[in-house]
Amino acid sequence: MFILFESLDRDNRGCLSPDDFEALGGLAMNPIGGRIMEAFFSSGQDTVDFSSFVRILAHFRPTDRNRNKEGAQQELPSSRTRKLKFAFQLYDMDRDGKISREELLQVLRAMLGLQVTEEQLQSIAERAIQEADLDKDDAISFDEFKKSLEKTDIDTKMSVSFLK
Amino acid sequence: MLNDVTEDQKNNLPVFTMNYPRIQIPFEITLWVLLASFAKIGFHVYHKITIWVPESCLLISIGLIVGAIMHSVHEEPPAVLTSNVFFLYMLPLIVLESGYFMPTRPFFENIGTVFWFAVVGTLWNSIGIGISLFAICQIPAFGVQDINLQENLLFSAIISAVDPVAVLNVFEDVSVNEQLYIVVFGECLFNDAVTVVLYNMFSFVAEMPVVEPVDVFIGVARFFIVGLGGMAFGILFGFVAAFTTRFTSKVREIEPLFVFMYSYLAYLVAELFAISSIMAIITCALTMKYYVEENVSQRSCTTIRHVIKMVASISETLIFFFLGVVTITTDHEWNWGYILFTLLFAFVWRGLGILVLTQIINPFRTIPFNMKDQFGLAYGGLRGAVSFALAFTLPDTIGRKQLFVTATIAVILFTVFLQGISIRPLIEFINVRRTNRNLETINVEIHCRLMEHTMAGIEDLCGQWSRFYWKDKFMKFNNRILRKILIRDGRAESSIVALYKKLELQNAMEILDTASGNIKLLMTKKFLAADLRNIHDILSKNMYKIRERTVAYRGKHALPNDSQTREILIRRHATIRRSLRPRSFQSSVSYLAQFICIILINYLFCWEHDHETLSEVAYPSQRSRFGKPARSSSSKAMIPLHRLGTLEEVPSTDVLNEESSSTGQGVFRTNSSYSDSRVPHPRRLYSLFDDNNSEL
């Protein structure tokens, strides 16, 4: 993994800056590339050192199913909750612990872009919030987010086998 | 004298004649098909049977009975099952159905595993069984020393063709995890291709007196050419088919024809060049499906699906039926040793093969197969139609053909009956990992899409070009280039939007269901003027598609001209839009409610006639698995029709015409042309309109 880090670190400062991320063409074209980048730079710093880099990428390790029996699952960075938390943070840019309608709209706009009209986007966002919002505060909290995805197999979707 | 002559030459005009030989062949074929179909109806009369005994078993049993009857009257079974008939008419239909209804997303996620098991697994099986049988042949006690290695290999290639139709049904009922299902499905499909290739290769080799190493290399090279060539042809034909359907908006009636003709053409052309026709037709169906389903009308889409299912079902039924008949009526050559060892080896080698192959491929999978999955895979290796046909059509130059046929039939009967019946309790007993039938919600769809983008980005970061990356790249290529060429208006519709539309429609149906005519209940959702406009924009966009179906046919070959109805719709639309603007909240809602009701009644009409298409629009790929939920919702759709009976009926169309002139309700004018008057026109709606019209 350190090799990877080094290959990304263009100016060899021992840490990554936003320019290094942007140099990756694919990530720049990705509709939520910006948000992924934001996730790496936690709490207002503008550099990422190796340990935080690894910590973030650890979210994507495939979950080891056999550990279910021991109670140790919650602390593993790759556990289902942590993966969900990471995904939640991609929506929640202002880190207030809730996905508001505006944030959801922004993500939808980024992903669907030119294909749909603004009205449709609004309706879709409206519906999404109505489906998930159980405490009627017009925003999706982390628990509501988790609940709406409880039947989905997150572990498959958010794992990179290379990281095992 | 003249009288005598005329009397001699005069023949009585026959009142009643019979000319059987003329119609014999089509007549007999029809009778066979009908008989097999009656058998199918019969099975479902008693539900419990179909749960415990797979359909193929029942069909074979009926075939056995019929065969016994025929044998006792010393009749010969019709000699229809020749090599040509099977390979040119029956097999392509079965394979087309499998290819068309393959769930694409899980398939592409597991494509490596599928090909691994199909290709390497089949090779392992055939070579293993062949060599061990050859070893057995050396033992003089069994009296089969005259079978040489080539013939043994040929036989083992026949035996390794897996056909888990029965198993797949059980898997669906028990909802085993998606990975297992798709691997068994995919393996069966592609292993047919591999088997046929091996069969051709070995039968060619069997006729050669001496095999040299160079031939082995040529064989391997040929294998790759055959496989990849088949795929290339399939993709080519698939694209051509998609391109053709782009222009078929004026000739809707023959749209399904294109799908069938192109697939069949792919198959035949591949046969012409002796490359894998099964691969060709499968890839053709896979490529074609995605684009064609966007281009063709809803009706054509339904037609295509139903016809494919129907002919595939007939084909398969006939094959199993023949199996039963032929079992009784042919002369068998029974050889205890050979046959028992064949059974044993088939079992053993499959089990071993799965074990070894899984160990090798598990590290490459994100979800490894556990022991239970492997058991399911190994035990699900039933033999079926393809083995039977291949054995039956062996060339007569093979000395021990009858022995091979008998052995094949024995293996098929054994696996189908024993494994087919016991697999259900076993799977439930060992508790194979189940899948969750995902509740379709917008949230899940949006979040999954987000995750896919995330994963593509992360993989980019890691410099790892794996699944998500390729999928992302392909989707971009698809959206930018392919869709523009192959789809009629090139408007990309995201799956999120499609799902949203579908869910909104479902909700609207549910509202009508529970409201039972009480329109006020629609006010429970807080509507703002902007929302109203949004919602009826979206609904009207949907309506454009639905319009095609509710207008009466004018002639046999002409489909309805919808330009006129579209105009009416636009006028109607404008009326409602105008009325919505300066209104108070209350009446806006009631307008919208009326509008929704009109639309819903439209939908109800359509849903009454061909319901399943709507639920299939958004998720055609899931149809084969989730056919059951679709059916239950169609029964739900029927309920609203009865509830509407509480409203008064409007008997005459004069009332309708009156109304339509004032408010432009071309909608109902055209609907009344239907003779089916089961849906009574809601009079209450009209009275509401009257009230509001006076305010206009």
Side-chain angles (χ1 to χ4, degrees), chain B residues 433-445:
Chain B
R433 240 181 340 203
R434 309 286 178 94
T435 186
N436 295 315
R437 293 277 174 90
N438 287 339
L439 261 179
E440 291 169 340
T441 59
I442 277 284
N443 272 300
V444 170
E445 188 69 23

Side-chain angles (χ1 to χ4, degrees), chain A residues 24 26-27 30-31 40 60 90-91 111-112 115-116 119 123 127-128 131-132 145 148 151 157-158 160, chain B residues 436 438 441-443 446-451 453-455 457-458 460-461 494 497 500 503-504 507 534 537:
Chain A
L24 289 167
L27 203 56
N30 196 316
F40 277 89
F60 293 98
L90 287 175
Y91 282 103
M111 287 200 299
L112 295 178
Q115 299 169 7
V116 290
E119 298 166 334
S123 311
R127 195 199 161 88
E131 271 180 6
F145 183 74
S148 68
K151 290 211 162 65
K157 290 197 194 287
M158 287 190 69
V160 181
Chain B
N436 295 315
N438 287 339
T441 59
I442 277 284
N443 272 300
I446 297 180
H447 300 322
C448 287
R449 177 71 74 82
L450 178 87
M451 282 187 249
H453 280 301
T454 319
M455 294 313 294
I458 296 282
D460 233 353
L461 204 59
S494 144
V497 178
Y500 171 72
L503 289 175
E504 283 293 314
N507 277 148
N534 291 344
D537 266 338

Side-chain angles (χ1 to χ4, degrees), chain B residues 89-104:
Chain B
Y89 298 116
M90 289 185 164
L91 187 61
L93 298 171
I94 301 179
V95 176
L96 178 62
E97 191 229 353
S98 305
Y100 201 80
F101 289 109
M102 172 154 5
T104 29

Side-chain angles (χ1 to χ4, degrees), chain B residues 265-427:
Chain B
L265 209 59
Y267 188 83
L268 292 175
V269 169
E271 280 281 317
L272 169 68
F273 291 112
I275 55 181
S276 171
S277 40
I278 297 182
M279 290 292 291
I281 203 172
I282 294 174
T283 30
C284 186
L286 276 177
T287 13
M288 197 165 54
K289 176 171 151 179
Y290 177 66
Y291 300 107
V292 162
E293 293 214 331
E294 295 217 16
N295 275 337
V296 302
S297 68
Q298 307 292 7
R299 277 214 159 116
S300 304
C301 205
T302 317
T303 311
I304 295 176
R305 284 158 188 275
H306 275 258
V307 173
I308 289 185
K309 279 221 174 267
M310 186 180 74
V311 290
S313 164
I314 293 177
S315 196
E316 208 163 329
T317 311
L318 276 179
I319 293 181
F320 278 119
F321 202 62
F322 269 123
L323 180 60
V325 170
V326 160
T327 313
I328 306 278
T329 52
T330 51
D331 323 308
H332 289 291
E333 186 184 331
W334 186 266
N335 182 311
W336 277 104
Y338 197 72
I339 294 182
L340 283 181
F341 271 104
T342 311
L343 273 174
L344 182 71
F345 286 136
F347 228 19
V348 163
W349 280 102
R350 178 154 179 98
L352 268 182
I354 298 285
L355 210 64
V356 169
L357 292 178
T358 328
Q359 291 308 320
I360 301 181
I361 195 147
N362 260 344
F364 295 100
R365 288 178 56 83
T366 18
I367 313 181
F369 280 133
N370 59 17
M371 289 307 291
K372 298 181 188 169
D373 292 333
Q374 290 174 38
F375 176 75
L377 264 177
Y379 205 68
L382 276 60
R383 272 67 175 172
V386 176
S387 307
F388 171 60
L390 285 175
F392 207 64
T393 58
L394 272 173
D396 285 320
T397 53
I398 311 270
R400 298 285 228 153
K401 177 179 170 182
Q402 281 312 117
L403 175 61
F404 287 155
V405 170
T406 311
T408 314
I409 294 182
V411 171
I412 295 178
L413 286 180
F414 185 81
T415 52
V416 169
F417 277 95
L418 200 75
Q419 287 178 259
I421 297 183
S422 61
I423 191 158
R424 195 195 178 100
L426 274 175
I427 292 275

